[in-house]
Short mmCIF file of all heavy atoms in Angstrom, two decimals:
data_model
loop_
_atom_site.label_atom_id
_atom_site.label_comp_id
_atom_site.label_asym_id
_atom_site.label_seq_id
_atom_site.Cartn_x
_atom_site.Cartn_y
_atom_site.Cartn_z
N MET S 277 5.03 -1.72 -12.26
CA MET S 277 5.50 -2.14 -10.96
C MET S 277 5.14 -1.07 -9.92
O MET S 277 5.36 0.11 -10.13
CB MET S 277 7.00 -2.37 -10.98
CG MET S 277 7.57 -2.81 -9.66
SD MET S 277 9.28 -3.30 -9.86
CE MET S 277 9.37 -4.50 -8.59
N ILE S 278 4.59 -1.50 -8.84
CA ILE S 278 4.19 -0.60 -7.77
C ILE S 278 5.40 -0.39 -6.86
O ILE S 278 6.06 -1.34 -6.44
CB ILE S 278 3.00 -1.20 -7.00
CG1 ILE S 278 1.83 -1.36 -7.96
CG2 ILE S 278 2.63 -0.32 -5.81
CD1 ILE S 278 0.74 -2.25 -7.46
N GLU S 279 5.67 0.87 -6.53
CA GLU S 279 6.82 1.21 -5.70
C GLU S 279 6.37 1.83 -4.39
O GLU S 279 5.24 2.32 -4.28
CB GLU S 279 7.74 2.16 -6.46
CG GLU S 279 8.30 1.51 -7.71
CD GLU S 279 9.31 2.39 -8.44
OE1 GLU S 279 9.65 3.48 -7.93
OE2 GLU S 279 9.73 1.98 -9.53
N LYS S 280 7.26 1.85 -3.42
CA LYS S 280 6.93 2.35 -2.08
C LYS S 280 6.65 3.84 -2.04
O LYS S 280 6.07 4.34 -1.08
CB LYS S 280 8.04 1.99 -1.10
CG LYS S 280 9.40 2.56 -1.41
CD LYS S 280 10.44 2.03 -0.46
CE LYS S 280 11.83 2.50 -0.82
NZ LYS S 280 12.82 1.90 0.08
N THR S 281 6.99 4.57 -3.09
CA THR S 281 6.75 6.01 -3.13
C THR S 281 5.35 6.37 -3.64
O THR S 281 4.96 7.52 -3.58
CB THR S 281 7.81 6.71 -4.01
OG1 THR S 281 7.80 6.10 -5.31
CG2 THR S 281 9.20 6.59 -3.41
N MET S 282 4.61 5.37 -4.11
CA MET S 282 3.24 5.62 -4.56
C MET S 282 2.37 5.92 -3.35
O MET S 282 2.52 5.29 -2.30
CB MET S 282 2.70 4.39 -5.29
CG MET S 282 1.26 4.53 -5.75
SD MET S 282 0.66 3.08 -6.63
CE MET S 282 1.25 3.48 -8.26
N THR S 283 1.46 6.88 -3.49
CA THR S 283 0.57 7.18 -2.37
C THR S 283 -0.53 6.13 -2.28
O THR S 283 -0.84 5.46 -3.27
CB THR S 283 -0.08 8.57 -2.49
OG1 THR S 283 -0.96 8.57 -3.62
CG2 THR S 283 0.96 9.67 -2.60
N ILE S 284 -1.10 6.03 -1.09
CA ILE S 284 -2.21 5.10 -0.89
C ILE S 284 -3.37 5.48 -1.81
O ILE S 284 -4.01 4.62 -2.40
CB ILE S 284 -2.66 5.11 0.59
CG1 ILE S 284 -1.53 4.60 1.49
CG2 ILE S 284 -3.93 4.29 0.77
CD1 ILE S 284 -1.13 3.15 1.29
N GLY S 285 -3.62 6.78 -1.95
CA GLY S 285 -4.69 7.23 -2.83
C GLY S 285 -4.50 6.78 -4.26
O GLY S 285 -5.43 6.30 -4.91
N GLU S 286 -3.28 6.92 -4.78
CA GLU S 286 -2.97 6.47 -6.14
C GLU S 286 -3.15 4.97 -6.26
O GLU S 286 -3.69 4.47 -7.25
CB GLU S 286 -1.53 6.82 -6.51
CG GLU S 286 -1.24 8.28 -6.70
CD GLU S 286 0.24 8.54 -6.91
OE1 GLU S 286 1.06 8.05 -6.09
OE2 GLU S 286 0.57 9.22 -7.89
N PHE S 287 -2.66 4.25 -5.26
CA PHE S 287 -2.74 2.79 -5.27
C PHE S 287 -4.19 2.33 -5.34
O PHE S 287 -4.54 1.49 -6.17
CB PHE S 287 -2.05 2.21 -4.03
CG PHE S 287 -2.13 0.72 -3.96
CD1 PHE S 287 -1.21 -0.06 -4.64
CD2 PHE S 287 -3.12 0.09 -3.24
CE1 PHE S 287 -1.28 -1.45 -4.58
CE2 PHE S 287 -3.21 -1.29 -3.17
CZ PHE S 287 -2.28 -2.06 -3.86
N VAL S 288 -5.02 2.89 -4.47
CA VAL S 288 -6.43 2.49 -4.42
C VAL S 288 -7.13 2.82 -5.74
O VAL S 288 -7.93 2.03 -6.24
CB VAL S 288 -7.14 3.16 -3.23
CG1 VAL S 288 -8.64 2.95 -3.29
CG2 VAL S 288 -6.58 2.63 -1.92
N GLU S 289 -6.79 3.95 -6.33
CA GLU S 289 -7.42 4.36 -7.59
C GLU S 289 -6.97 3.49 -8.76
O GLU S 289 -7.79 3.07 -9.58
CB GLU S 289 -7.06 5.82 -7.88
CG GLU S 289 -7.72 6.37 -9.12
CD GLU S 289 -7.37 7.84 -9.36
OE1 GLU S 289 -7.30 8.59 -8.39
OE2 GLU S 289 -7.16 8.19 -10.54
N LYS S 290 -5.67 3.21 -8.85
CA LYS S 290 -5.14 2.47 -10.00
C LYS S 290 -5.23 0.96 -9.88
O LYS S 290 -5.26 0.26 -10.89
CB LYS S 290 -3.67 2.87 -10.23
CG LYS S 290 -3.50 4.30 -10.67
CD LYS S 290 -2.04 4.63 -10.89
CE LYS S 290 -1.89 6.08 -11.34
NZ LYS S 290 -0.49 6.45 -11.55
N TYR S 291 -5.22 0.46 -8.65
CA TYR S 291 -5.19 -0.99 -8.44
C TYR S 291 -6.24 -1.45 -7.43
O TYR S 291 -5.92 -2.08 -6.42
CB TYR S 291 -3.79 -1.42 -7.96
CG TYR S 291 -2.69 -1.00 -8.88
CD1 TYR S 291 -1.94 0.14 -8.61
CD2 TYR S 291 -2.41 -1.71 -10.04
CE1 TYR S 291 -0.92 0.56 -9.48
CE2 TYR S 291 -1.40 -1.31 -10.90
CZ TYR S 291 -0.67 -0.18 -10.61
OH TYR S 291 0.33 0.23 -11.47
N PRO S 292 -7.51 -1.17 -7.69
CA PRO S 292 -8.55 -1.56 -6.73
C PRO S 292 -8.61 -3.07 -6.49
O PRO S 292 -9.02 -3.51 -5.42
CB PRO S 292 -9.85 -1.05 -7.37
CG PRO S 292 -9.53 -0.88 -8.82
CD PRO S 292 -8.06 -0.55 -8.89
N ASP S 293 -8.14 -3.84 -7.46
CA ASP S 293 -8.14 -5.30 -7.32
C ASP S 293 -7.08 -5.79 -6.35
O ASP S 293 -7.10 -6.95 -5.94
CB ASP S 293 -7.93 -5.96 -8.69
CG ASP S 293 -6.66 -5.50 -9.38
OD1 ASP S 293 -6.37 -4.28 -9.37
OD2 ASP S 293 -5.95 -6.35 -9.95
N LYS S 294 -6.15 -4.92 -5.94
CA LYS S 294 -5.08 -5.31 -5.02
C LYS S 294 -5.25 -4.72 -3.62
O LYS S 294 -4.43 -4.94 -2.75
CB LYS S 294 -3.73 -4.90 -5.59
CG LYS S 294 -3.39 -5.65 -6.86
CD LYS S 294 -1.98 -5.37 -7.31
CE LYS S 294 -1.70 -6.16 -8.57
NZ LYS S 294 -0.51 -6.98 -8.44
N VAL S 295 -6.34 -4.00 -3.40
CA VAL S 295 -6.58 -3.37 -2.10
C VAL S 295 -6.65 -4.41 -0.98
O VAL S 295 -6.20 -4.16 0.14
CB VAL S 295 -7.86 -2.50 -2.15
CG1 VAL S 295 -8.30 -2.08 -0.76
CG2 VAL S 295 -7.62 -1.28 -3.02
N ASP S 296 -7.17 -5.59 -1.29
CA ASP S 296 -7.28 -6.65 -0.27
C ASP S 296 -5.91 -7.00 0.32
O ASP S 296 -5.84 -7.37 1.49
CB ASP S 296 -7.90 -7.91 -0.87
CG ASP S 296 -9.40 -7.76 -1.10
OD1 ASP S 296 -9.99 -6.78 -0.59
OD2 ASP S 296 -9.97 -8.61 -1.79
N ILE S 297 -4.86 -6.88 -0.44
CA ILE S 297 -3.52 -7.18 0.06
C ILE S 297 -3.16 -6.21 1.19
O ILE S 297 -2.61 -6.62 2.21
CB ILE S 297 -2.47 -7.12 -1.07
CG1 ILE S 297 -2.77 -8.20 -2.11
CG2 ILE S 297 -1.05 -7.27 -0.51
CD1 ILE S 297 -1.94 -8.09 -3.39
N LEU S 298 -3.50 -4.94 1.03
CA LEU S 298 -3.23 -3.95 2.08
C LEU S 298 -4.09 -4.23 3.30
O LEU S 298 -3.62 -4.15 4.44
CB LEU S 298 -3.47 -2.53 1.58
CG LEU S 298 -2.61 -2.04 0.43
CD1 LEU S 298 -2.91 -0.57 0.15
CD2 LEU S 298 -1.13 -2.21 0.72
N LEU S 299 -5.35 -4.57 3.08
CA LEU S 299 -6.25 -4.87 4.19
C LEU S 299 -5.76 -6.08 4.97
O LEU S 299 -5.74 -6.06 6.21
CB LEU S 299 -7.67 -5.09 3.68
CG LEU S 299 -8.36 -3.86 3.08
CD1 LEU S 299 -9.68 -4.26 2.42
CD2 LEU S 299 -8.58 -2.79 4.13
N GLU S 300 -5.33 -7.11 4.26
CA GLU S 300 -4.83 -8.32 4.92
C GLU S 300 -3.56 -8.04 5.71
O GLU S 300 -3.29 -8.70 6.72
CB GLU S 300 -4.56 -9.41 3.88
CG GLU S 300 -5.82 -9.99 3.29
CD GLU S 300 -5.56 -10.91 2.09
OE1 GLU S 300 -4.39 -11.22 1.80
OE2 GLU S 300 -6.54 -11.28 1.44
N ALA S 301 -2.78 -7.05 5.27
CA ALA S 301 -1.54 -6.69 5.97
C ALA S 301 -1.81 -5.87 7.23
O ALA S 301 -0.92 -5.69 8.05
CB ALA S 301 -0.63 -5.91 5.02
N GLY S 302 -3.05 -5.37 7.38
CA GLY S 302 -3.39 -4.62 8.58
C GLY S 302 -3.68 -3.15 8.35
O GLY S 302 -3.85 -2.40 9.30
N MET S 303 -3.73 -2.73 7.11
CA MET S 303 -4.04 -1.33 6.79
C MET S 303 -5.54 -1.20 6.58
O MET S 303 -6.04 -1.33 5.47
CB MET S 303 -3.28 -0.89 5.54
CG MET S 303 -1.82 -0.83 5.72
SD MET S 303 -1.04 -0.17 4.22
CE MET S 303 0.67 -0.53 4.58
N HIS S 304 -6.24 -0.94 7.66
CA HIS S 304 -7.71 -0.90 7.59
C HIS S 304 -8.26 0.51 7.44
O HIS S 304 -9.47 0.70 7.44
CB HIS S 304 -8.29 -1.55 8.84
CG HIS S 304 -7.90 -2.98 8.97
ND1 HIS S 304 -8.45 -3.97 8.19
CD2 HIS S 304 -6.98 -3.59 9.76
CE1 HIS S 304 -7.89 -5.13 8.50
NE2 HIS S 304 -7.01 -4.93 9.45
N CYS S 305 -7.39 1.50 7.31
CA CYS S 305 -7.87 2.88 7.22
C CYS S 305 -7.63 3.46 5.82
O CYS S 305 -7.29 4.62 5.67
CB CYS S 305 -7.19 3.74 8.27
SG CYS S 305 -5.40 3.69 8.19
N LEU S 306 -7.83 2.66 4.79
CA LEU S 306 -7.56 3.11 3.43
C LEU S 306 -8.49 4.22 2.98
O LEU S 306 -8.14 4.99 2.10
CB LEU S 306 -7.67 1.92 2.46
CG LEU S 306 -6.68 0.79 2.71
CD1 LEU S 306 -6.93 -0.33 1.70
CD2 LEU S 306 -5.26 1.28 2.62
N GLY S 307 -9.64 4.35 3.59
CA GLY S 307 -10.57 5.40 3.23
C GLY S 307 -10.35 6.69 4.00
O GLY S 307 -10.95 7.71 3.70
N CYS S 308 -9.47 6.65 4.98
CA CYS S 308 -9.18 7.83 5.80
C CYS S 308 -8.54 8.91 4.93
O CYS S 308 -7.61 8.63 4.17
CB CYS S 308 -8.24 7.43 6.92
SG CYS S 308 -7.58 8.80 7.86
N PRO S 309 -9.02 10.14 5.03
CA PRO S 309 -8.45 11.22 4.21
C PRO S 309 -6.94 11.38 4.38
O PRO S 309 -6.23 11.64 3.42
CB PRO S 309 -9.19 12.47 4.69
CG PRO S 309 -10.47 11.96 5.23
CD PRO S 309 -10.15 10.61 5.82
N ALA S 310 -6.44 11.22 5.58
CA ALA S 310 -4.99 11.37 5.82
C ALA S 310 -4.19 10.30 5.10
O ALA S 310 -3.09 10.56 4.60
CB ALA S 310 -4.70 11.33 7.31
N SER S 311 -4.73 9.09 5.01
CA SER S 311 -3.99 8.01 4.38
C SER S 311 -3.84 8.20 2.87
O SER S 311 -2.92 7.66 2.26
CB SER S 311 -4.65 6.66 4.66
OG SER S 311 -5.82 6.49 3.89
N GLN S 312 -4.73 8.96 2.27
CA GLN S 312 -4.70 9.15 0.81
C GLN S 312 -3.41 9.80 0.33
O GLN S 312 -2.96 9.54 -0.77
CB GLN S 312 -5.91 9.95 0.36
CG GLN S 312 -7.24 9.28 0.66
CD GLN S 312 -7.36 7.89 0.07
OE1 GLN S 312 -7.26 7.72 -1.14
NE2 GLN S 312 -7.53 6.89 0.91
N ALA S 313 -2.81 10.65 1.16
CA ALA S 313 -1.59 11.37 0.78
C ALA S 313 -0.33 10.67 1.27
O ALA S 313 0.77 11.07 0.91
CB ALA S 313 -1.64 12.79 1.31
N GLU S 314 -0.48 9.63 2.09
CA GLU S 314 0.68 8.89 2.58
C GLU S 314 1.22 7.98 1.49
O GLU S 314 0.46 7.43 0.70
CB GLU S 314 0.29 7.96 3.74
CG GLU S 314 0.22 8.59 5.07
CD GLU S 314 -0.05 7.56 6.16
OE1 GLU S 314 -0.72 6.54 5.90
OE2 GLU S 314 0.39 7.79 7.28
N THR S 315 2.53 7.79 1.49
CA THR S 315 3.10 6.81 0.57
C THR S 315 2.91 5.42 1.17
O THR S 315 2.65 5.28 2.37
CB THR S 315 4.60 7.06 0.35
OG1 THR S 315 5.30 6.85 1.58
CG2 THR S 315 4.87 8.44 -0.21
N ILE S 316 3.08 4.42 0.34
CA ILE S 316 2.99 3.04 0.84
C ILE S 316 4.05 2.83 1.92
O ILE S 316 3.78 2.21 2.95
CB ILE S 316 3.16 2.04 -0.32
CG1 ILE S 316 1.94 2.13 -1.25
CG2 ILE S 316 3.35 0.62 0.21
CD1 ILE S 316 2.06 1.30 -2.52
N GLU S 317 5.22 3.39 1.71
CA GLU S 317 6.30 3.26 2.71
C GLU S 317 5.91 3.89 4.04
O GLU S 317 6.11 3.30 5.10
CB GLU S 317 7.58 3.88 2.18
CG GLU S 317 8.75 3.73 3.14
CD GLU S 317 10.05 4.25 2.55
OE1 GLU S 317 10.03 5.25 1.81
OE2 GLU S 317 11.08 3.64 2.83
N GLU S 318 5.35 5.10 4.00
CA GLU S 318 4.94 5.78 5.23
C GLU S 318 3.85 5.00 5.95
O GLU S 318 3.88 4.86 7.18
CB GLU S 318 4.45 7.20 4.92
CG GLU S 318 5.55 8.13 4.46
CD GLU S 318 5.03 9.42 3.86
OE1 GLU S 318 3.86 9.47 3.37
OE2 GLU S 318 5.79 10.39 3.87
N ALA S 319 2.89 4.47 5.20
CA ALA S 319 1.82 3.69 5.80
C ALA S 319 2.36 2.42 6.46
O ALA S 319 1.92 2.04 7.54
CB ALA S 319 0.77 3.33 4.76
N CYS S 320 3.34 1.81 5.82
CA CYS S 320 3.96 0.61 6.40
C CYS S 320 4.67 0.94 7.71
O CYS S 320 4.59 0.18 8.68
CB CYS S 320 4.95 0.00 5.41
SG CYS S 320 4.16 -0.93 4.09
N GLU S 321 5.36 2.07 7.74
CA GLU S 321 6.05 2.48 8.97
C GLU S 321 5.06 2.66 10.11
O GLU S 321 5.29 2.21 11.23
CB GLU S 321 6.81 3.78 8.73
CG GLU S 321 8.05 3.61 7.89
CD GLU S 321 8.75 4.93 7.56
OE1 GLU S 321 8.42 5.97 8.16
OE2 GLU S 321 9.63 4.91 6.69
N VAL S 322 3.95 3.33 9.83
CA VAL S 322 2.93 3.58 10.85
C VAL S 322 2.33 2.28 11.37
O VAL S 322 2.05 2.15 12.56
CB VAL S 322 1.81 4.49 10.27
CG1 VAL S 322 0.61 4.55 11.20
CG2 VAL S 322 2.34 5.88 10.00
N HIS S 323 2.16 1.30 10.49
CA HIS S 323 1.51 0.04 10.87
C HIS S 323 2.49 -1.07 11.23
O HIS S 323 2.06 -2.20 11.50
CB HIS S 323 0.59 -0.43 9.73
CG HIS S 323 -0.60 0.45 9.55
ND1 HIS S 323 -0.60 1.54 8.71
CD2 HIS S 323 -1.83 0.42 10.13
CE1 HIS S 323 -1.77 2.13 8.78
NE2 HIS S 323 -2.54 1.48 9.62
N GLY S 324 3.78 -0.78 11.22
CA GLY S 324 4.78 -1.79 11.59
C GLY S 324 4.88 -2.93 10.59
O GLY S 324 5.08 -4.08 10.97
N ILE S 325 4.73 -2.59 9.32
CA ILE S 325 4.76 -3.59 8.25
C ILE S 325 6.05 -3.44 7.46
O ILE S 325 6.48 -2.31 7.16
CB ILE S 325 3.54 -3.40 7.32
CG1 ILE S 325 2.25 -3.60 8.11
CG2 ILE S 325 3.61 -4.32 6.12
CD1 ILE S 325 1.00 -3.13 7.39
N ASP S 326 6.67 -4.55 7.10
CA ASP S 326 7.88 -4.52 6.27
C ASP S 326 7.47 -4.15 4.84
O ASP S 326 6.80 -4.92 4.16
CB ASP S 326 8.56 -5.89 6.30
CG ASP S 326 9.86 -5.92 5.52
OD1 ASP S 326 9.90 -5.43 4.37
OD2 ASP S 326 10.84 -6.46 6.06
N VAL S 327 7.89 -2.97 4.41
CA VAL S 327 7.48 -2.46 3.10
C VAL S 327 7.96 -3.35 1.96
O VAL S 327 7.24 -3.57 0.99
CB VAL S 327 7.92 -0.99 2.89
CG1 VAL S 327 9.43 -0.86 2.78
CG2 VAL S 327 7.24 -0.39 1.68
N ASN S 328 9.14 -3.92 2.09
CA ASN S 328 9.66 -4.77 1.02
C ASN S 328 8.87 -6.06 0.87
O ASN S 328 8.61 -6.52 -0.24
CB ASN S 328 11.15 -5.05 1.24
CG ASN S 328 11.97 -3.78 1.14
OD1 ASN S 328 11.77 -2.96 0.23
ND2 ASN S 328 12.88 -3.58 2.07
N GLU S 329 8.48 -6.64 2.00
CA GLU S 329 7.66 -7.86 1.95
C GLU S 329 6.28 -7.56 1.35
O GLU S 329 5.77 -8.34 0.56
CB GLU S 329 7.51 -8.46 3.36
CG GLU S 329 8.78 -9.09 3.89
CD GLU S 329 9.24 -10.26 3.05
OE1 GLU S 329 8.40 -11.11 2.68
OE2 GLU S 329 10.45 -10.35 2.78
N LEU S 330 5.71 -6.43 1.74
CA LEU S 330 4.41 -6.06 1.20
C LEU S 330 4.50 -5.84 -0.31
O LEU S 330 3.63 -6.30 -1.05
CB LEU S 330 3.88 -4.80 1.89
CG LEU S 330 2.50 -4.33 1.45
CD1 LEU S 330 1.44 -5.38 1.79
CD2 LEU S 330 2.16 -3.00 2.08
N LEU S 331 5.53 -5.16 -0.76
CA LEU S 331 5.68 -4.91 -2.19
C LEU S 331 5.87 -6.19 -2.99
O LEU S 331 5.39 -6.31 -4.11
CB LEU S 331 6.83 -3.95 -2.45
CG LEU S 331 6.56 -2.49 -2.04
CD1 LEU S 331 7.81 -1.65 -2.20
CD2 LEU S 331 5.41 -1.90 -2.82
N LYS S 332 6.53 -7.18 -2.39
CA LYS S 332 6.67 -8.49 -3.07
C LYS S 332 5.30 -9.08 -3.33
O LYS S 332 5.02 -9.58 -4.42
CB LYS S 332 7.49 -9.45 -2.21
CG LYS S 332 8.96 -9.22 -2.26
CD LYS S 332 9.67 -10.27 -1.41
CE LYS S 332 11.11 -9.90 -1.17
NZ LYS S 332 11.79 -10.87 -0.26
N LYS S 333 4.43 -9.03 -2.32
CA LYS S 333 3.07 -9.58 -2.47
C LYS S 333 2.27 -8.79 -3.51
O LYS S 333 1.56 -9.37 -4.32
CB LYS S 333 2.34 -9.57 -1.13
CG LYS S 333 2.87 -10.57 -0.16
CD LYS S 333 2.12 -10.48 1.15
CE LYS S 333 2.74 -11.42 2.19
NZ LYS S 333 2.10 -11.29 3.50
N ILE S 334 2.38 -7.48 -3.44
CA ILE S 334 1.62 -6.62 -4.34
C ILE S 334 2.04 -6.83 -5.79
O ILE S 334 1.22 -6.86 -6.70
CB ILE S 334 1.77 -5.13 -3.96
CG1 ILE S 334 1.05 -4.86 -2.64
CG2 ILE S 334 1.26 -4.22 -5.06
CD1 ILE S 334 1.30 -3.48 -2.07
N ASN S 335 3.33 -6.96 -6.01
CA ASN S 335 3.86 -7.04 -7.38
C ASN S 335 3.95 -8.45 -7.94
O ASN S 335 4.50 -8.64 -9.02
CB ASN S 335 5.23 -6.35 -7.42
CG ASN S 335 5.10 -4.84 -7.35
OD1 ASN S 335 4.34 -4.23 -8.08
ND2 ASN S 335 5.85 -4.24 -6.44
N GLU S 336 3.40 -9.43 -7.24
CA GLU S 336 3.42 -10.81 -7.76
C GLU S 336 2.59 -10.93 -9.01
O GLU S 336 1.60 -10.33 -9.21
CB GLU S 336 2.88 -11.80 -6.72
CG GLU S 336 3.84 -12.00 -5.59
CD GLU S 336 3.32 -13.02 -4.58
OE1 GLU S 336 2.09 -13.26 -4.48
OE2 GLU S 336 4.15 -13.55 -3.86
#
């Protein structure tokens, strides 16, 4: 199960098949060096995305 404390870098590395979900949510800077150390929760805050809704989609 993917949690909000996972970094974007870890997510992209472990779940490349789910990256499209982040892109569709509006996170278009997944390759940015700064985003690699951000948690999913922090990235959601920056982009105005509900972290719980995003995690529901990711963990389906």
Side-chain angles (χ1 to χ4, degrees):
M277 180 171 210
I278 299 164
E279 298 185 5
K280 61 186 175 183
T281 56
M282 177 179 275
T283 66
I284 296 295
E286 290 174 309
F287 178 84
V288 170
E289 183 179 321
K290 292 181 180 179
Y291 304 99
D293 57 316
K294 295 188 179 234
V295 168
D296 286 348
I297 296 171
L298 298 185
L299 293 171
E300 289 170 8
M303 293 184 192
H304 299 285
C305 56
L306 298 178
C308 171
S311 75
Q312 298 304 301
E314 277 185 330
T315 65
I316 292 173
E317 182 175 36
E318 291 168 336
C320 283
E321 287 175 12
V322 169
H323 291 91
I325 298 167
D326 183 314
V327 68
N328 295 316
E329 289 297 315
L330 182 64
L331 288 174
K332 282 182 193 176
K333 289 179 185 176
I334 291 172
N335 286 310
E336 288 182 337

